[in-house]
Amino acid sequence: MELNVKYAEENRSRFRNLLHKLWEPYKQVPLLGWLLAALVAVLLEMLVGQPLARLLGMSKIPALFGVILVLKTPILIPSTLLYLLLIYGLPIAITARLTAKLTDFIAAKLYNTSTGLSILLHVALLYAVLHLWTSISDYRLLVVKLTLISIIITLSLNVINGYMGEFSCSHPGFIALGAYTASIFTIVLFVSENQFGEAVLPPALGPYLFPIGLVLGGIAAAIGALLVAIPSFRTRGDYLAIISLAFMFIVVSLFNNLEIVGGARGLSNQPDYANLATIFVWTILSIWIINNFVRSTIGKALNAVRDGELAASAMTVDTRKTKMVAFLFSAFWAGVAGGLFAHVIRYINPGTFGIRKLAEVLAMVYLGGLNSVAGSVVGAVGFNLLSEALRPLEILKWIIIPVMLILVMIYRPTGLIAFTELDPIALIKPKSMTEGEADNATS
Amino acid sequence: MLKKVIAIAFFMAIIVGACAPAGPDTIKIGVNAPITGDIPKVGEGTKFAAEMWLEAIGGELEIGGKTYAIELVIEDNEAKGESAAAVNQKLTTQDEVLVIVGPQSSKQAVPAGGVANDNKTPMVSPWSTNPATTLDRPWVFRTPFLDPFQGPVIANFVTEEYGFTKAAVLYDVASDYPKGLADNFLSGWEDIHGADSVVAFESFTTADTDFSAQITKIKNTGAEFIFSPQYYNEVALIVQQAHELGFNAPIVGSDSWGSAELVNLCGEDCYGLFFSTHYAADGATGATKDFIDAYNAKHGYIPDDVGALTWDTFLIIQKAMEDCGEITGDLAVDRACVRDALAQIKNFAGITGEMTFTEQGDPIKCAVIVQISDEGTFKFYDQACP
């Protein structure tokens, strides 16, 4: 018995050592290297993915890493694993390792020239990977679009529920305000033959003016937030939750009763402006701006308000202004996300923005982690991909996802990646550089 | 040793997987159904009808002298619009289905129809009544009649049956089906009896359970009957509360009443009431009776209109595929062929009546007026055709 335990322990430590050894060279791979490796994998999938999938008995390239396929036909588990290994696993591992020196050199050069340029290059590379990856399947494209929009929504809610420490339930209302405002903007201006009459402007201008519609949607949501904020900041905690919940219901009722935007029948005919590039740019913008916001003085003030309003006030924080700004800021991004959502699905109705949407958004925030930009991204991506991939399980899916949430709450009560700060400069830093060198380079 | 076994099993499985049948002789049909979410009963009815159809044809279909295996790809849309769109995207591009049946309610069918149309894949919704589902979408069809037809049918029926002139409407403003039908009834009634003949147009919001304020108001206006295009669970409450408040005039309904649950919930209060629907289960004959009996024997309850309409939808796409004559294996060609065949369907005898598709992809078909009998069954009473 004892021997067995000893043997198992030995085995485990041997396994750990092996993993450690395998991982060792990858510590030197900069983010640039990983992105490059991902690009190689995606290119490889474009070139040989289809014949390989056929060879392994799959009729198509598995769209979401084969999870859906495996759940439907378990016999394909080995072939799917082999596919993933051949297309993603090995190429990424090999490229990352072989190019580590080169990419680190380039990363260092870029880092020394201009960090801004370097970040831009990383983002462009990320877009290239996403663009190629989604070009393989339209289904993938739709899932990625919805996931990117979820990232904006989750991030914006995290500003209130995470950084400010309040529990706001009005997010679906803000999303609805943004979605309807942006939809009305584009339909009135650029779509003929609809309930609002002929197009006011030539439709060719549409894609260029679309951002204005999104910003208007964000502003509409922010105005809505002002309506919640004024009465509710006399209260905190549970009371704010109830007031914001009431606001959500008011918005839904408003659109249900507004015949001009279709009432309960909903609003359709949105033009197809929300392509991947547009959504990607807005997502990156939102991550960038929200990240800067929460790392700024006002972000720190928010944390101070969360941890003790009286203390914060004593330390010269204007608590009222801080909360107001954060609330409107958060609502603005929810509104932008709503506008994008409406133009992806190209049909909205008030029922979409109800209590179920709220549950989803809250789940994403608390799964990913409070007070963390990276956590929000992880939460949104994880929840969306999981929800899409487990679809074949039907009713079981609604047991598995809640159980996972409960487990996360038990073992990591604040979410997977909570209370961290996202420093983009540290992310793109070449691995060979020591702390001192990096500091010299930036200063 | 164990490792070797695992390795061998792994490679065997890859070989088995690689040899799995995936020839061009299989036709895939997508089903986009709300299996989880707000309306699981609708999803269940869809799934049952689809599986019964597959069983009825023996899992294969002969088209142009060649036998094809039929495979159903049933996907859950969680009763959400964005999920229904994603499901349709997956069905058309990943699973490469020939034709899609569903989604059922308009909330899902409108966005999903857009995806099907963009991907040039024929789609037939068995239940959606929102005009936007098929409007300007040549690839999208539906099996139920539309509200602009059903509303006036009920108005005509009440006028002829009772000779009433003052109507009241009680509907859910936050749900698109009751709202649409209430509006169409209003215009239909006013066409016959002139403006202001609808003396009360009262609304409530989804999940309300107390209707006494609205009913009292309706009673005070002197309305001779209430039209309530609600779902069965609300109908039971409305009828019972009306009777408790002393409103004993008739309450008339629409096809959303047609669920076996209605009588269970409503009991004697609902006996004798009329509603318009797609088919009458009690006293059905021929193919309709066969379907009802088979469904009842298999699943233990009388199918409601979703089941019947889904069944008809499958018969229609079966006919369209057979009319096509030849399945070439080139998906774009075959899908176009099925779409054209669907558009040309004329006088198709389904269990929910005879139908012909208009240019818009909507059927021209008759509505049935059903009376709830004293045994709690839905008895055929009258028929109204366009």
Side-chain angles (χ1 to χ4, degrees), chain A residues 94-116:
Chain A
I94 294 170
T95 323
R97 185 160 177 181
L98 289 185
T99 61
K101 280 230 166 77
L102 179 73
T103 47
D104 207 48
F105 176 72
I106 299 175
K109 268 265 174 301
L110 279 169
Y111 192 84
N112 288 332
T113 330
S114 149
T115 45

mmCIF file of all heavy atoms in Angstrom, chain A residues 94-116:
data_model
loop_
_atom_site.group_PDB
_atom_site.id
_atom_site.type_symbol
_atom_site.label_atom_id
_atom_site.label_comp_id
_atom_site.label_asym_id
_atom_site.label_seq_id
_atom_site.Cartn_x
_atom_site.Cartn_y
_atom_site.Cartn_z
ATOM 1 N N ILE A 94 6.142 24.062 -32.452
ATOM 2 C CA ILE A 94 7.402 24.096 -33.218
ATOM 3 C C ILE A 94 7.760 25.518 -33.629
ATOM 4 O O ILE A 94 8.876 25.982 -33.403
ATOM 5 C CB ILE A 94 7.295 23.177 -34.461
ATOM 6 C CG1 ILE A 94 7.167 21.720 -33.993
ATOM 7 C CG2 ILE A 94 8.497 23.357 -35.372
ATOM 8 C CD1 ILE A 94 6.814 20.765 -35.105
ATOM 9 N N THR A 95 6.792 26.236 -34.209
ATOM 10 C CA THR A 95 7.108 27.589 -34.663
ATOM 11 C C THR A 95 7.535 28.459 -33.500
ATOM 12 O O THR A 95 8.525 29.202 -33.603
ATOM 13 C CB THR A 95 5.874 28.246 -35.327
ATOM 14 O OG1 THR A 95 5.179 27.254 -36.042
ATOM 15 C CG2 THR A 95 6.273 29.372 -36.222
ATOM 16 N N ALA A 96 6.777 28.369 -32.412
ATOM 17 C CA ALA A 96 7.097 29.234 -31.281
ATOM 18 C C ALA A 96 8.515 28.979 -30.812
ATOM 19 O O ALA A 96 9.272 29.905 -30.515
ATOM 20 C CB ALA A 96 6.105 28.991 -30.147
ATOM 21 N N ARG A 97 8.896 27.707 -30.774
ATOM 22 C CA ARG A 97 10.224 27.382 -30.251
ATOM 23 C C ARG A 97 11.332 27.783 -31.236
ATOM 24 O O ARG A 97 12.329 28.373 -30.844
ATOM 25 C CB ARG A 97 10.290 25.890 -29.977
ATOM 26 C CG ARG A 97 11.575 25.526 -29.321
ATOM 27 C CD ARG A 97 11.500 24.211 -28.628
ATOM 28 N NE ARG A 97 12.797 23.898 -28.071
ATOM 29 C CZ ARG A 97 13.049 22.787 -27.423
ATOM 30 N NH1 ARG A 97 12.093 21.910 -27.242
ATOM 31 N NH2 ARG A 97 14.244 22.563 -26.942
ATOM 32 N N LEU A 98 11.096 27.467 -32.496
ATOM 33 C CA LEU A 98 12.153 27.724 -33.478
ATOM 34 C C LEU A 98 12.369 29.213 -33.695
ATOM 35 O O LEU A 98 13.491 29.655 -33.932
ATOM 36 C CB LEU A 98 11.809 27.039 -34.804
ATOM 37 C CG LEU A 98 11.918 25.519 -34.802
ATOM 38 C CD1 LEU A 98 11.665 24.970 -36.185
ATOM 39 C CD2 LEU A 98 13.296 25.079 -34.305
ATOM 40 N N THR A 99 11.282 29.973 -33.651
ATOM 41 C CA THR A 99 11.431 31.395 -33.951
ATOM 42 C C THR A 99 11.639 32.226 -32.691
ATOM 43 O O THR A 99 11.678 33.450 -32.772
ATOM 44 C CB THR A 99 10.190 31.927 -34.701
ATOM 45 O OG1 THR A 99 9.064 31.737 -33.852
ATOM 46 C CG2 THR A 99 9.979 31.230 -36.018
ATOM 47 N N ALA A 100 11.738 31.557 -31.548
ATOM 48 C CA ALA A 100 11.811 32.303 -30.283
ATOM 49 C C ALA A 100 12.896 33.360 -30.311
ATOM 50 O O ALA A 100 12.664 34.519 -29.951
ATOM 51 C CB ALA A 100 12.032 31.337 -29.123
ATOM 52 N N LYS A 101 14.091 32.978 -30.764
ATOM 53 C CA LYS A 101 15.207 33.933 -30.768
ATOM 54 C C LYS A 101 14.916 35.113 -31.690
ATOM 55 O O LYS A 101 15.095 36.268 -31.339
ATOM 56 C CB LYS A 101 16.479 33.215 -31.265
ATOM 57 C CG LYS A 101 17.147 32.387 -30.199
ATOM 58 C CD LYS A 101 18.651 32.722 -30.129
ATOM 59 C CE LYS A 101 19.292 32.174 -28.878
ATOM 60 N NZ LYS A 101 19.540 30.724 -28.967
ATOM 61 N N LEU A 102 14.433 34.756 -32.889
ATOM 62 C CA LEU A 102 14.161 35.777 -33.902
ATOM 63 C C LEU A 102 13.078 36.735 -33.419
ATOM 64 O O LEU A 102 13.243 37.958 -33.459
ATOM 65 C CB LEU A 102 13.738 35.084 -35.207
ATOM 66 C CG LEU A 102 13.396 36.029 -36.351
ATOM 67 C CD1 LEU A 102 14.672 36.660 -36.901
ATOM 68 C CD2 LEU A 102 12.661 35.300 -37.461
ATOM 69 N N THR A 103 11.935 36.168 -32.971
ATOM 70 C CA THR A 103 10.824 37.032 -32.565
ATOM 71 C C THR A 103 11.216 37.875 -31.365
ATOM 72 O O THR A 103 10.804 39.024 -31.253
ATOM 73 C CB THR A 103 9.567 36.210 -32.253
ATOM 74 O OG1 THR A 103 9.929 35.114 -31.426
ATOM 75 C CG2 THR A 103 8.901 35.728 -33.512
ATOM 76 N N ASP A 104 12.014 37.285 -30.480
ATOM 77 C CA ASP A 104 12.428 38.061 -29.319
ATOM 78 C C ASP A 104 13.309 39.222 -29.745
ATOM 79 O O ASP A 104 13.198 40.328 -29.222
ATOM 80 C CB ASP A 104 13.185 37.153 -28.340
ATOM 81 C CG ASP A 104 13.047 37.675 -26.934
ATOM 82 O OD1 ASP A 104 11.906 37.975 -26.536
ATOM 83 O OD2 ASP A 104 14.081 37.803 -26.251
ATOM 84 N N PHE A 105 14.154 38.975 -30.746
ATOM 85 C CA PHE A 105 15.014 40.029 -31.278
ATOM 86 C C PHE A 105 14.155 41.145 -31.885
ATOM 87 O O PHE A 105 14.337 42.327 -31.603
ATOM 88 C CB PHE A 105 15.959 39.426 -32.332
ATOM 89 C CG PHE A 105 16.829 40.439 -33.011
ATOM 90 C CD1 PHE A 105 17.883 41.031 -32.333
ATOM 91 C CD2 PHE A 105 16.576 40.803 -34.335
ATOM 92 C CE1 PHE A 105 18.676 41.979 -32.959
ATOM 93 C CE2 PHE A 105 17.361 41.753 -34.951
ATOM 94 C CZ PHE A 105 18.419 42.338 -34.272
ATOM 95 N N ILE A 106 13.176 40.733 -32.704
ATOM 96 C CA ILE A 106 12.292 41.727 -33.338
ATOM 97 C C ILE A 106 11.512 42.481 -32.263
ATOM 98 O O ILE A 106 11.379 43.707 -32.312
ATOM 99 C CB ILE A 106 11.328 41.041 -34.326
ATOM 100 C CG1 ILE A 106 12.125 40.344 -35.431
ATOM 101 C CG2 ILE A 106 10.360 42.060 -34.920
ATOM 102 C CD1 ILE A 106 11.273 39.543 -36.376
ATOM 103 N N ALA A 107 11.001 41.712 -31.290
ATOM 104 C CA ALA A 107 10.216 42.338 -30.224
ATOM 105 C C ALA A 107 11.065 43.376 -29.502
ATOM 106 O O ALA A 107 10.593 44.474 -29.192
ATOM 107 C CB ALA A 107 9.710 41.274 -29.256
ATOM 108 N N ALA A 108 12.346 43.033 -29.252
ATOM 109 C CA ALA A 108 13.229 43.971 -28.557
ATOM 110 C C ALA A 108 13.448 45.215 -29.395
ATOM 111 O O ALA A 108 13.397 46.341 -28.900
ATOM 112 C CB ALA A 108 14.557 43.286 -28.253
ATOM 113 N N LYS A 109 13.671 45.001 -30.703
ATOM 114 C CA LYS A 109 13.891 46.142 -31.609
ATOM 115 C C LYS A 109 12.665 47.062 -31.590
ATOM 116 O O LYS A 109 12.784 48.276 -31.440
ATOM 117 C CB LYS A 109 14.107 45.619 -33.042
ATOM 118 C CG LYS A 109 15.567 45.375 -33.387
ATOM 119 C CD LYS A 109 16.102 46.612 -34.089
ATOM 120 C CE LYS A 109 17.541 46.616 -34.384
ATOM 121 N NZ LYS A 109 18.633 46.527 -33.669
ATOM 122 N N LEU A 110 11.510 46.452 -31.756
ATOM 123 C CA LEU A 110 10.270 47.227 -31.786
ATOM 124 C C LEU A 110 10.079 47.962 -30.462
ATOM 125 O O LEU A 110 9.695 49.132 -30.423
ATOM 126 C CB LEU A 110 9.078 46.291 -32.007
ATOM 127 C CG LEU A 110 8.814 45.865 -33.439
ATOM 128 C CD1 LEU A 110 7.798 44.749 -33.468
ATOM 129 C CD2 LEU A 110 8.314 47.051 -34.252
ATOM 130 N N TYR A 111 10.349 47.227 -29.400
ATOM 131 C CA TYR A 111 10.143 47.778 -28.062
ATOM 132 C C TYR A 111 11.005 49.006 -27.870
ATOM 133 O O TYR A 111 10.566 50.000 -27.286
ATOM 134 C CB TYR A 111 10.500 46.700 -27.045
ATOM 135 C CG TYR A 111 10.083 47.010 -25.640
ATOM 136 C CD1 TYR A 111 8.790 46.723 -25.220
ATOM 137 C CD2 TYR A 111 10.985 47.561 -24.747
ATOM 138 C CE1 TYR A 111 8.415 46.999 -23.939
ATOM 139 C CE2 TYR A 111 10.605 47.843 -23.456
ATOM 140 C CZ TYR A 111 9.318 47.566 -23.043
ATOM 141 O OH TYR A 111 8.936 47.829 -21.771
ATOM 142 N N ASN A 112 12.227 48.942 -28.398
ATOM 143 C CA ASN A 112 13.134 50.066 -28.238
ATOM 144 C C ASN A 112 12.779 51.227 -29.153
ATOM 145 O O ASN A 112 13.020 52.377 -28.822
ATOM 146 C CB ASN A 112 14.578 49.624 -28.508
ATOM 147 C CG ASN A 112 15.094 48.761 -27.379
ATOM 148 O OD1 ASN A 112 14.635 48.913 -26.240
ATOM 149 N ND2 ASN A 112 15.991 47.857 -27.685
ATOM 150 N N THR A 113 12.222 50.922 -30.308
ATOM 151 C CA THR A 113 11.842 51.995 -31.233
ATOM 152 C C THR A 113 10.629 52.746 -30.695
ATOM 153 O O THR A 113 10.686 53.943 -30.435
ATOM 154 C CB THR A 113 11.504 51.427 -32.623
ATOM 155 O OG1 THR A 113 12.270 50.265 -32.829
ATOM 156 C CG2 THR A 113 11.733 52.429 -33.706
ATOM 157 N N SER A 114 9.535 52.021 -30.562
ATOM 158 C CA SER A 114 8.317 52.676 -30.077
ATOM 159 C C SER A 114 7.363 51.610 -29.537
ATOM 160 O O SER A 114 6.990 50.680 -30.263
ATOM 161 C CB SER A 114 7.667 53.450 -31.223
ATOM 162 O OG SER A 114 6.277 53.484 -31.051
ATOM 163 N N THR A 115 6.966 51.751 -28.300
ATOM 164 C CA THR A 115 6.052 50.754 -27.735
ATOM 165 C C THR A 115 4.689 50.829 -28.406
ATOM 166 O O THR A 115 4.024 49.824 -28.603
ATOM 167 C CB THR A 115 5.892 50.964 -26.221
ATOM 168 O OG1 THR A 115 5.705 52.348 -25.992
ATOM 169 C CG2 THR A 115 7.074 50.457 -25.456
ATOM 170 N N GLY A 116 4.304 52.048 -28.770
ATOM 171 C CA GLY A 116 3.000 52.209 -29.418
ATOM 172 C C GLY A 116 2.943 51.425 -30.714
ATOM 173 O O GLY A 116 1.993 50.670 -30.968
#
